[in-house]
Amino acid sequence: MPLIDPSLGTNPATYSALLTTTLENFQKRLVDNFSDATPLLWWLSQNGRKRHVVGGQAIDIPLMYAGSTVQPFSGYDDLQTEPTEGIAPATFLYKKYQTPVVISRDSETDNMGESRVISLLEAKVKQAEISFKEQMNNDLINNGYAGTYDRDTSGAAEVLGTATPDALRVTGLFDICQNASQDRAYGGISGTTYSWWANTFNDCGNTATAFADNGITKMRSTYLDCSRGQDTPDLILCSQESYESYDATLVDQKRYVNTLAADAGFESLMYRATTILFDRDVPAGVMFFLNSNYLELDVHPDVDMSTIPFREAERQWARFSRIMWKGELTCSNRARQGLLVNAVN
């Protein structure tokens, strides 16, 4: 029986099999496009920052928060043998996302023929892919953020708005990089109780010329506070406004860019040896100083933009599949991550 017979309608088994096979063939493209969609997703997919993790209901990240005891001695001194308490796990739950790919039976009968079916499915996949990337990128940045860092005309300092993160969504950068209060536990560990688990926070101030007045100074302080020797931030992810404010300071200077980012289609600048990228999901005036040695996008390999077979919808005259993702953004060292706010003129 042909794929679609005008006199008989759709051959259900053949049609569903074609849709499923075609969607499976799209999967590698879905993974690649997802990884290259935005500056943050692109950066997280580079140089081993994306890791496939299998098994378990949660992801445990071992943390080194105290070094081993190093004892100077001479002759027959007693040598210490007490074990060092040095590893504590930060625990992160997997987060799961899905987006449906739905094709109505009307569309089937209006687009008869295999080539038209494949074109229809490709259009549906592109639509789902765009929605997926936009939602995921926004959650990776903004989950845990509420409101804006407003400049107060009275001159009073404002507190960066924060919200309890949505437990169903991936961890956002505003959960890793919190304001000075460090009032939320992250990975099950409190940054107020354990200072080694607190991120760096700086504020350019609440004047209309905050960045022009001291933006470069605050960038330097945040960068150095996040650094230990050669272990420095390798990405400054910022809002477009902050990017423009920094770019304006380079009027008479040569601009250096990250060639890999340029090849991927992203405009970039450099601060020292660190790449600066802007993302429109970053709130105005915000700069994240990120060190990828301690950040990972942990993804289950069997649920990395994977698809399920098409099936008949129970209550609609349609067939549907789903694009699925399971993973989490994890951090093993918050002290190497920083947040700078009001970085805008």
Coordinates of all heavy atoms in Angstrom, one line a residue, residues 42-134:
W42 N 27.0 27.4 23.1 CA 28.2 27.2 22.3 C 29.5 27.0 23.2 O 30.2 26.0 23.0 CB 28.5 28.3 21.3 CG 29.8 28.2 20.6 CD1 30.2 27.4 19.5 CD2 31.0 28.9 20.9 NE1 31.5 27.6 19.2 CE2 32.0 28.5 20.1 CE3 31.3 29.9 21.9 CZ2 33.3 29.0 20.1 CZ3 32.6 30.4 22.0 CH2 33.6 29.9 21.1
W43 N 29.6 27.9 24.1 CA 30.8 27.8 25.0 C 30.7 26.6 25.9 O 31.8 25.9 26.1 CB 30.8 29.1 25.9 CG 31.9 29.2 26.9 CD1 33.2 29.5 26.6 CD2 31.8 29.0 28.3 NE1 34.0 29.5 27.7 CE2 33.1 29.2 28.8 CE3 30.8 28.7 29.1 CZ2 33.4 29.1 30.1 CZ3 31.1 28.6 30.5 CH2 32.4 28.8 31.0
L44 N 29.6 26.2 26.3 CA 29.5 25.0 27.1 C 29.7 23.7 26.4 O 30.0 22.7 26.9 CB 28.1 24.9 27.8 CG 27.8 25.9 28.9 CD1 26.3 25.9 29.3 CD2 28.7 25.6 30.1
S45 N 29.6 23.8 25.0 CA 29.8 22.6 24.2 C 31.3 22.4 23.8 O 31.7 21.4 23.2 CB 28.9 22.6 23.0 OG 29.4 23.7 22.1
Q46 N 32.1 23.4 24.1 CA 33.5 23.4 23.7 C 34.4 22.8 24.7 O 34.2 22.9 25.9 CB 34.0 24.9 23.4 CG 33.2 25.6 22.3 CD 33.2 24.9 21.0 OE1 34.3 24.7 20.4 NE2 32.0 24.7 20.5
N47 N 35.5 22.2 24.3 CA 36.6 21.8 25.1 C 36.2 21.0 26.3 O 36.7 21.2 27.4 CB 37.4 23.0 25.6 CG 38.0 23.8 24.4 OD1 38.3 23.2 23.4 ND2 38.0 25.1 24.5
G48 N 35.3 20.0 26.1 CA 35.0 19.1 27.2 C 34.1 19.6 28.3 O 34.0 19.0 29.3
R49 N 33.5 20.8 28.1 CA 32.6 21.3 29.1 C 31.2 20.6 29.1 O 30.5 20.7 30.1 CB 32.4 22.8 28.8 CG 33.6 23.7 28.9 CD 33.3 25.1 28.7 NE 34.6 25.9 28.5 CZ 35.1 26.4 27.4 NH1 34.4 26.2 26.3 NH2 36.2 27.0 27.4
K50 N 30.9 19.9 28.0 CA 29.7 19.1 28.0 C 30.2 17.6 28.3 O 31.1 17.1 27.6 CB 29.0 19.1 26.6 CG 27.8 18.3 26.5 CD 27.2 18.4 25.2 CE 26.0 17.5 25.0 NZ 25.4 17.6 23.7
R51 N 29.5 17.0 29.3 CA 29.9 15.7 29.7 C 28.7 14.7 29.7 O 27.6 15.1 30.2 CB 30.5 15.7 31.1 CG 31.0 14.4 31.6 CD 31.7 14.5 33.0 NE 30.7 14.9 34.0 CZ 30.7 14.4 35.2 NH1 31.5 13.5 35.6 NH2 29.8 14.8 36.1
H52 N 28.8 13.6 29.2 CA 27.8 12.6 29.2 C 27.8 11.8 30.5 O 28.9 11.2 30.9 CB 27.9 11.6 28.0 CG 27.3 12.2 26.7 ND1 27.7 11.8 25.5 CD2 26.3 13.2 26.5 CE1 27.0 12.5 24.6 NE2 26.2 13.3 25.2
V53 N 26.7 11.8 31.2 CA 26.7 11.1 32.6 C 25.5 10.1 32.5 O 24.4 10.5 32.1 CB 26.4 12.2 33.7 CG1 26.3 11.5 35.0 CG2 27.6 13.2 33.7
V54 N 25.8 8.9 32.9 CA 24.8 7.8 32.9 C 24.5 7.4 34.3 O 25.4 7.2 35.1 CB 25.3 6.7 32.0 CG1 24.3 5.6 32.0 CG2 25.7 7.1 30.7
G55 N 23.2 7.1 34.6 CA 22.8 6.4 35.8 C 22.6 7.4 37.0 O 23.1 8.5 37.0
G56 N 21.8 6.9 37.9 CA 21.5 7.6 39.1 C 20.4 8.6 39.0 O 20.1 9.0 37.9
Q57 N 19.8 9.0 40.1 CA 18.8 10.0 40.1 C 19.3 11.4 40.2 O 18.6 12.4 40.0 CB 17.8 9.7 41.2 CG 17.0 8.4 41.0 CD 16.0 8.2 42.1 OE1 16.2 8.7 43.2 NE2 15.0 7.4 41.8
A58 N 20.6 11.5 40.6 CA 21.2 12.8 40.9 C 22.7 12.8 40.4 O 23.2 11.7 40.2 CB 21.1 13.2 42.3
I59 N 23.3 13.9 40.3 CA 24.7 14.1 39.9 C 25.4 14.6 41.1 O 25.1 15.6 41.6 CB 24.8 15.1 38.7 CG1 24.0 14.6 37.5 CG2 26.3 15.2 38.3 CD1 23.8 15.7 36.5
D60 N 26.4 13.8 41.6 CA 27.2 14.2 42.7 C 28.6 14.7 42.2 O 29.3 14.0 41.5 CB 27.4 13.0 43.7 CG 26.2 12.7 44.4 OD1 25.3 13.6 44.6 OD2 26.0 11.5 44.8
I61 N 28.9 15.9 42.6 CA 30.1 16.5 42.2 C 31.1 16.6 43.4 O 30.7 17.3 44.3 CB 29.9 17.9 41.6 CG1 28.9 17.9 40.4 CG2 31.2 18.5 41.1 CD1 29.4 17.1 39.2
P62 N 32.2 15.9 43.4 CA 33.1 16.0 44.6 C 33.8 17.4 44.6 O 34.2 17.9 43.6 CB 34.1 14.9 44.3 CG 34.1 14.7 42.8 CD 32.7 15.0 42.4
L63 N 33.9 17.9 45.8 CA 34.5 19.3 46.0 C 35.7 19.2 46.9 O 35.7 18.6 47.9 CB 33.5 20.2 46.6 CG 32.1 20.3 46.0 CD1 31.2 21.2 46.8 CD2 32.2 20.8 44.6
M64 N 36.8 19.8 46.5 CA 38.0 19.9 47.3 C 37.9 21.2 48.1 O 38.0 22.3 47.5 CB 39.2 19.9 46.5 CG 39.5 18.5 45.7 SD 39.5 17.1 46.9 CE 41.0 17.6 47.9
Y65 N 37.6 21.2 49.4 CA 37.5 22.4 50.1 C 38.5 22.6 51.2 O 38.6 23.5 51.9 CB 36.1 22.6 50.7 CG 35.7 21.6 51.8 CD1 36.1 21.8 53.1 CD2 35.0 20.4 51.4 CE1 35.7 20.9 54.1 CE2 34.6 19.5 52.4 CZ 35.0 19.7 53.7 OH 34.6 18.8 54.7
A66 N 39.4 21.6 51.4 CA 40.5 21.7 52.3 C 41.7 20.8 51.9 O 41.5 19.7 51.5 CB 40.1 21.3 53.7
G67 N 42.9 21.4 51.9 CA 44.0 20.7 51.4 C 44.5 19.7 52.4 O 44.2 19.7 53.6
S68 N 45.4 18.8 52.0 CA 46.0 17.8 52.9 C 47.0 18.6 53.8 O 47.6 19.6 53.4 CB 46.7 16.7 52.1 OG 45.8 16.0 51.3
T69 N 47.2 18.0 55.0 CA 48.2 18.6 55.9 C 49.6 18.4 55.4 O 50.0 17.3 55.1 CB 48.0 18.0 57.3 OG1 46.7 18.3 57.8 CG2 49.0 18.6 58.3
V70 N 50.3 19.5 55.3 CA 51.7 19.4 54.9 C 52.6 19.7 56.1 O 52.5 20.9 56.6 CB 52.1 20.3 53.7 CG1 53.5 20.2 53.4 CG2 51.2 20.0 52.5
Q71 N 53.4 18.8 56.6 CA 54.1 19.0 57.9 C 55.6 19.0 57.7 O 56.2 18.1 57.2 CB 53.7 17.8 58.8 CG 54.5 17.8 60.1 CD 54.4 16.4 60.8 OE1 53.8 15.5 60.3 NE2 54.9 16.4 62.1
P72 N 56.2 20.1 58.1 CA 57.6 20.1 58.1 C 58.1 19.3 59.3 O 57.5 19.3 60.4 CB 58.0 21.6 58.3 CG 56.8 22.2 59.0 CD 55.6 21.4 58.5
F73 N 59.2 18.6 59.2 CA 59.7 17.8 60.4 C 61.2 17.6 60.2 O 61.8 17.9 59.2 CB 59.0 16.5 60.4 CG 59.4 15.5 59.4 CD1 60.4 14.5 59.7 CD2 58.9 15.5 58.1 CE1 60.8 13.6 58.7 CE2 59.3 14.6 57.1 CZ 60.2 13.7 57.4
S74 N 61.8 17.1 61.3 CA 63.3 16.8 61.2 C 63.5 15.6 62.2 O 62.7 15.3 63.1 CB 64.1 18.0 61.7 OG 63.9 18.2 63.1
G75 N 64.5 14.9 61.9 CA 64.9 13.7 62.8 C 63.8 12.8 63.0 O 63.2 12.2 62.1
Y76 N 63.6 12.5 64.4 CA 62.6 11.5 64.8 C 61.3 12.2 65.3 O 60.6 11.6 66.1 CB 63.2 10.7 65.9 CG 64.3 9.8 65.4 CD1 65.6 10.2 65.6 CD2 64.1 8.6 64.8 CE1 66.7 9.4 65.2 CE2 65.1 7.8 64.3 CZ 66.4 8.2 64.5 OH 67.5 7.5 64.1
D77 N 60.9 13.4 64.7 CA 59.7 14.0 65.1 C 58.5 13.0 64.8 O 58.6 12.2 63.9 CB 59.4 15.3 64.3 CG 60.4 16.4 64.7 OD1 61.0 16.2 65.8 OD2 60.4 17.4 64.0
D78 N 57.4 13.2 65.6 CA 56.2 12.4 65.3 C 55.6 12.9 64.0 O 55.4 14.1 63.9 CB 55.2 12.5 66.5 CG 55.7 11.8 67.7 OD1 56.5 10.9 67.6 OD2 55.2 12.2 68.8
L79 N 55.3 12.0 63.1 CA 54.7 12.4 61.9 C 53.1 12.2 62.0 O 52.6 11.2 62.4 CB 55.2 11.5 60.7 CG 56.7 11.5 60.5 CD1 57.1 10.7 59.3 CD2 57.2 13.0 60.4
Q80 N 52.4 13.3 61.6 CA 51.0 13.2 61.7 C 50.4 12.2 60.7 O 50.9 12.1 59.5 CB 50.4 14.6 61.4 CG 50.9 15.7 62.3 CD 50.3 17.1 62.0 OE1 49.6 17.2 61.0 NE2 50.7 18.1 62.7
T81 N 49.4 11.5 61.1 CA 48.7 10.5 60.3 C 47.2 10.8 60.2 O 46.5 10.0 59.6 CB 49.0 9.1 60.8 OG1 48.5 9.0 62.1 CG2 50.5 8.8 60.7
E82 N 46.7 11.9 60.8 CA 45.3 12.1 60.8 C 44.8 12.4 59.4 O 45.4 13.1 58.6 CB 44.9 13.3 61.7 CG 45.1 13.1 63.2 CD 46.6 13.3 63.6 OE1 47.4 13.7 62.7 OE2 46.9 13.1 64.7
P83 N 43.7 11.7 59.0 CA 43.2 12.0 57.6 C 42.6 13.4 57.5 O 42.2 14.0 58.5 CB 42.0 10.9 57.5 CG 41.6 10.7 58.9 CD 42.9 10.8 59.8
T84 N 42.7 13.9 56.3 CA 42.2 15.3 56.1 C 40.8 15.2 55.5 O 40.5 14.4 54.6 CB 43.1 16.0 55.1 OG1 44.4 16.1 55.6 CG2 42.6 17.4 54.8
E85 N 39.9 15.9 56.1 CA 38.5 16.0 55.6 C 38.6 16.9 54.4 O 38.7 18.2 54.6 CB 37.6 16.5 56.7 CG 36.1 16.6 56.2 CD 35.2 17.2 57.2 OE1 35.7 17.8 58.2 OE2 34.0 17.1 57.1
G86 N 38.5 16.4 53.2 CA 38.7 17.2 52.0 C 37.7 17.2 50.9 O 37.8 18.0 50.0
I87 N 36.8 16.2 51.0 CA 35.9 16.1 49.9 C 34.5 16.1 50.4 O 34.1 15.3 51.3 CB 36.2 14.8 49.1 CG1 37.6 14.8 48.5 CG2 35.1 14.6 48.0 CD1 37.9 13.6 47.7
A88 N 33.7 16.9 49.9 CA 32.2 16.9 50.2 C 31.5 17.0 48.8 O 31.9 17.8 48.0 CB 31.9 18.1 51.1
P89 N 30.4 16.2 48.7 CA 29.7 16.3 47.4 C 28.7 17.4 47.3 O 28.0 17.6 48.3 CB 29.1 14.9 47.3 CG 28.8 14.6 48.8 CD 29.9 15.2 49.5
A90 N 28.7 18.1 46.2 CA 27.5 18.9 45.9 C 26.6 18.1 45.0 O 27.0 17.4 44.1 CB 28.0 20.1 45.1
T91 N 25.3 18.1 45.3 CA 24.3 17.2 44.7 C 23.4 18.0 43.8 O 22.8 19.0 44.3 CB 23.5 16.4 45.8 OG1 24.5 15.7 46.5 CG2 22.6 15.5 45.1
F92 N 23.2 17.5 42.6 CA 22.3 18.2 41.6 C 21.4 17.2 41.1 O 21.8 16.1 40.6 CB 23.1 18.8 40.5 CG 24.2 19.8 41.0 CD1 25.5 19.4 41.3 CD2 23.9 21.1 41.2 CE1 26.4 20.3 41.7 CE2 24.8 22.0 41.6 CZ 26.1 21.6 41.9
L93 N 20.1 17.5 41.0 CA 19.1 16.6 40.4 C 19.1 16.8 38.9 O 19.2 18.0 38.4 CB 17.7 16.9 41.0 CG 17.6 16.6 42.5 CD1 16.2 17.0 43.0 CD2 17.9 15.1 42.8
Y94 N 18.9 15.8 38.2 CA 18.7 15.9 36.7 C 17.4 16.7 36.5 O 16.4 16.7 37.2 CB 18.4 14.5 36.1 CG 19.7 13.7 35.8 CD1 20.0 12.6 36.6 CD2 20.5 14.0 34.8 CE1 21.1 11.9 36.4 CE2 21.7 13.3 34.5 CZ 22.0 12.2 35.3 OH 23.1 11.5 35.1
K95 N 17.5 17.5 35.4 CA 16.3 18.3 34.9 C 16.0 17.8 33.6 O 16.8 17.4 32.8 CB 16.7 19.8 34.9 CG 17.3 20.3 36.2 CD 16.3 20.2 37.3 CE 17.0 20.4 38.7 NZ 17.7 21.7 38.8
K96 N 14.7 17.7 33.3 CA 14.2 17.1 32.1 C 13.3 18.1 31.3 O 12.5 18.8 31.9 CB 13.4 15.8 32.4 CG 14.2 14.7 33.1 CD 13.4 13.5 33.4 CE 12.5 13.7 34.6 NZ 13.2 13.9 35.8
Y97 N 13.5 18.1 30.0 CA 12.7 19.0 29.1 C 12.2 18.2 27.9 O 12.8 17.2 27.5 CB 13.6 20.1 28.5 CG 14.0 21.2 29.5 CD1 14.9 21.0 30.5 CD2 13.4 22.5 29.4 CE1 15.3 22.0 31.4 CE2 13.8 23.5 30.3 CZ 14.7 23.3 31.3 OH 15.0 24.3 32.1
Q98 N 11.1 18.6 27.4 CA 10.5 18.0 26.2 C 9.8 19.0 25.4 O 9.2 20.0 26.0 CB 9.6 16.8 26.6 CG 8.3 17.2 27.2 CD 7.1 17.5 26.2 OE1 7.1 16.9 25.1 NE2 6.1 18.3 26.6
T99 N 9.7 18.8 24.1 CA 8.9 19.6 23.3 C 8.2 18.7 22.3 O 8.8 17.8 21.7 CB 9.6 20.8 22.6 OG1 8.7 21.6 21.9 CG2 10.6 20.2 21.6
P100 N 6.9 18.8 22.1 CA 6.2 17.9 21.2 C 6.3 18.3 19.7 O 6.5 19.5 19.4 CB 4.7 18.0 21.6 CG 4.6 19.4 22.2 CD 6.0 19.7 22.8
V101 N 6.4 17.3 18.9 CA 6.3 17.5 17.4 C 5.0 16.9 17.0 O 4.8 15.7 17.0 CB 7.5 16.9 16.7 CG1 7.4 17.1 15.2 CG2 8.8 17.4 17.2
V102 N 4.0 17.7 16.6 CA 2.7 17.3 16.4 C 2.3 17.5 14.9 O 2.5 18.6 14.4 CB 1.6 18.0 17.3 CG1 0.2 17.4 17.0 CG2 2.0 17.8 18.7
I103 N 1.8 16.5 14.2 CA 1.3 16.7 12.9 C -0.1 16.3 12.8 O -0.5 15.1 13.1 CB 2.2 15.8 11.9 CG1 3.6 16.3 11.9 CG2 1.6 15.9 10.5 CD1 4.5 15.6 11.0
S104 N -1.0 17.2 12.4 CA -2.4 16.9 12.3 C -2.7 16.0 11.1 O -2.0 16.0 10.1 CB -3.2 18.2 12.2 OG -3.1 18.7 10.9
R105 N -3.8 15.2 11.2 CA -4.2 14.4 10.1 C -4.6 15.2 8.9 O -4.5 14.8 7.8 CB -5.3 13.4 10.6 CG -4.8 12.5 11.7 CD -3.7 11.5 11.2 NE -4.2 10.6 10.3 CZ -4.7 9.4 10.6 NH1 -4.8 9.0 11.8 NH2 -5.1 8.5 9.6
D106 N -5.1 16.4 9.2 CA -5.4 17.3 8.1 C -4.2 17.6 7.3 O -4.2 17.7 6.1 CB -6.0 18.6 8.6 CG -7.5 18.5 8.9 OD1 -8.2 17.7 8.3 OD2 -8.0 19.3 9.8
S107 N -3.1 17.9 8.0 CA -1.8 18.2 7.3 C -1.3 17.0 6.5 O -0.8 17.1 5.4 CB -0.7 18.6 8.3 OG -1.1 19.8 9.0
E108 N -1.6 15.8 7.0 CA -1.2 14.6 6.3 C -1.9 14.5 5.0 O -1.3 14.4 3.9 CB -1.6 13.3 7.1 CG -0.8 13.1 8.4 CD -1.2 11.9 9.1 OE1 -1.9 11.0 8.4 OE2 -0.9 11.7 10.3
T109 N -3.2 14.7 5.0 CA -4.0 14.6 3.8 C -3.8 15.8 2.9 O -4.0 15.7 1.6 CB -5.5 14.4 4.1 OG1 -5.9 15.5 4.9 CG2 -5.7 13.1 4.9
D110 N -3.4 16.9 3.4 CA -3.1 18.1 2.6 C -1.7 18.1 2.0 O -1.4 18.8 1.1 CB -3.3 19.4 3.4 CG -4.7 19.6 3.8 OD1 -5.6 19.0 3.2 OD2 -4.9 20.5 4.7
N111 N -0.8 17.2 2.5 CA 0.5 17.2 2.0 C 0.9 15.7 1.6 O 1.9 15.2 2.1 CB 1.5 17.6 3.1 CG 1.3 19.1 3.4 OD1 1.9 19.9 2.8 ND2 0.5 19.4 4.4
M112 N 0.1 15.1 0.8 CA 0.3 13.7 0.4 C 1.6 13.6 -0.4 O 1.9 14.4 -1.2 CB -0.9 13.2 -0.4 CG -2.1 13.1 0.5 SD -3.5 12.4 -0.4 CE -3.9 13.7 -1.5
G113 N 2.3 12.4 -0.3 CA 3.5 12.2 -0.9 C 4.7 12.3 0.0 O 4.7 13.1 0.9
E114 N 5.7 11.4 -0.2 CA 6.7 11.2 0.8 C 7.6 12.5 0.9 O 7.9 13.0 2.0 CB 7.7 10.1 0.4 CG 8.7 9.8 1.4 CD 9.4 8.5 1.2 OE1 8.8 7.5 0.6 OE2 10.6 8.4 1.5
S115 N 7.9 13.2 -0.2 CA 8.7 14.4 -0.1 C 8.0 15.5 0.6 O 8.6 16.2 1.4 CB 9.1 14.8 -1.5 OG 7.9 15.2 -2.3
R116 N 6.7 15.6 0.4 CA 5.9 16.6 1.2 C 5.9 16.3 2.6 O 5.9 17.2 3.5 CB 4.5 16.8 0.6 CG 4.5 17.5 -0.8 CD 3.1 17.8 -1.1 NE 3.0 18.5 -2.4 CZ 1.8 19.0 -2.9 NH1 0.7 18.8 -2.2 NH2 1.8 19.7 -4.0
V117 N 5.7 15.1 3.0 CA 5.7 14.7 4.4 C 7.0 15.0 5.1 O 7.0 15.6 6.2 CB 5.4 13.1 4.5 CG1 5.7 12.7 5.9 CG2 4.0 12.8 4.1
I118 N 8.1 14.7 4.4 CA 9.4 15.0 5.0 C 9.6 16.6 5.1 O 10.1 17.0 6.2 CB 10.5 14.4 4.1 CG1 10.5 12.9 4.2 CG2 11.9 14.9 4.6 CD1 11.5 12.2 3.3
S119 N 9.2 17.3 4.2 CA 9.3 18.8 4.2 C 8.4 19.3 5.4 O 8.8 20.2 6.1 CB 8.9 19.4 2.9 OG 9.7 19.1 1.9
L120 N 7.2 18.7 5.5 CA 6.4 19.2 6.6 C 7.0 18.9 8.0 O 7.0 19.7 8.9 CB 5.0 18.5 6.5 CG 4.0 18.6 7.7 CD1 3.6 20.1 7.8 CD2 2.8 17.7 7.5
L121 N 7.6 17.7 8.1 CA 8.2 17.3 9.4 C 9.4 18.2 9.7 O 9.6 18.6 10.8 CB 8.6 15.8 9.3 CG 9.3 15.3 10.6 CD1 8.4 15.5 11.8 CD2 9.7 13.8 10.4
E122 N 10.2 18.5 8.7 CA 11.4 19.3 8.9 C 10.9 20.7 9.4 O 11.6 21.3 10.2 CB 12.1 19.5 7.6 CG 13.4 20.2 7.7 CD 14.3 20.1 6.5 OE1 13.9 19.7 5.4 OE2 15.5 20.5 6.6
A123 N 9.9 21.3 8.8 CA 9.4 22.6 9.3 C 9.0 22.5 10.7 O 9.2 23.4 11.5 CB 8.2 23.0 8.4
K124 N 8.3 21.4 11.1 CA 7.8 21.2 12.5 C 9.0 21.1 13.4 O 9.0 21.6 14.5 CB 7.0 20.0 12.6 CG 5.6 20.0 11.9 CD 4.6 20.9 12.7 CE 3.2 20.9 12.1 NZ 2.3 21.6 12.9
V125 N 10.1 20.4 13.0 CA 11.2 20.2 13.8 C 12.0 21.5 14.0 O 12.4 21.8 15.1 CB 12.2 19.1 13.2 CG1 13.5 19.1 13.9 CG2 11.5 17.7 13.3
K126 N 12.1 22.3 13.0 CA 12.8 23.6 13.1 C 12.0 24.5 14.1 O 12.6 25.1 14.9 CB 12.8 24.3 11.8 CG 13.9 23.7 10.8 CD 13.9 24.5 9.5 CE 15.0 24.0 8.6 NZ 15.1 24.7 7.3
Q127 N 10.7 24.4 14.1 CA 9.9 25.2 15.0 C 10.1 24.8 16.4 O 10.3 25.6 17.3 CB 8.4 25.1 14.6 CG 7.5 25.9 15.5 CD 6.0 25.6 15.2 OE1 5.6 24.5 14.8 NE2 5.2 26.6 15.3
A128 N 10.1 23.4 16.6 CA 10.4 22.9 18.0 C 11.8 23.2 18.5 O 12.0 23.5 19.6 CB 10.1 21.4 18.0
E129 N 12.7 23.1 17.5 CA 14.1 23.3 17.9 C 14.4 24.8 18.4 O 15.0 25.0 19.4 CB 15.0 23.0 16.6 CG 16.4 23.2 16.8 CD 17.2 23.0 15.5 OE1 16.5 22.6 14.5 OE2 18.4 23.3 15.4
I130 N 13.8 25.7 17.7 CA 13.9 27.1 18.1 C 13.4 27.3 19.5 O 14.0 28.0 20.3 CB 13.3 28.0 17.0 CG1 14.0 28.0 15.7 CG2 13.2 29.5 17.6 CD1 13.3 28.7 14.6
S131 N 12.2 26.8 19.7 CA 11.5 27.0 21.0 C 12.4 26.3 22.1 O 12.6 26.9 23.2 CB 10.1 26.3 21.0 OG 9.3 27.0 20.0
F132 N 12.9 25.2 21.8 CA 13.7 24.4 22.8 C 15.0 25.3 23.2 O 15.3 25.4 24.4 CB 14.2 23.1 22.2 CG 14.3 22.0 23.2 CD1 13.4 20.9 23.2 CD2 15.3 22.0 24.2 CE1 13.5 19.9 24.1 CE2 15.4 21.0 25.1 CZ 14.5 19.9 25.0
K133 N 15.7 25.8 22.2 CA 16.9 26.5 22.4 C 16.6 27.8 23.2 O 17.4 28.1 24.1 CB 17.6 26.8 21.1 CG 18.2 25.5 20.4 CD 18.9 25.9 19.1 CE 18.0 26.4 18.0 NZ 18.7 26.4 16.7
E134 N 15.6 28.5 22.8 CA 15.3 29.8 23.5 C 15.0 29.5 25.0 O 15.4 30.3 25.8 CB 14.1 30.5 22.8 CG 14.5 31.0 21.4 CD 13.4 31.7 20.7 OE1 12.2 31.5 21.2 OE2 13.6 32.4 19.7

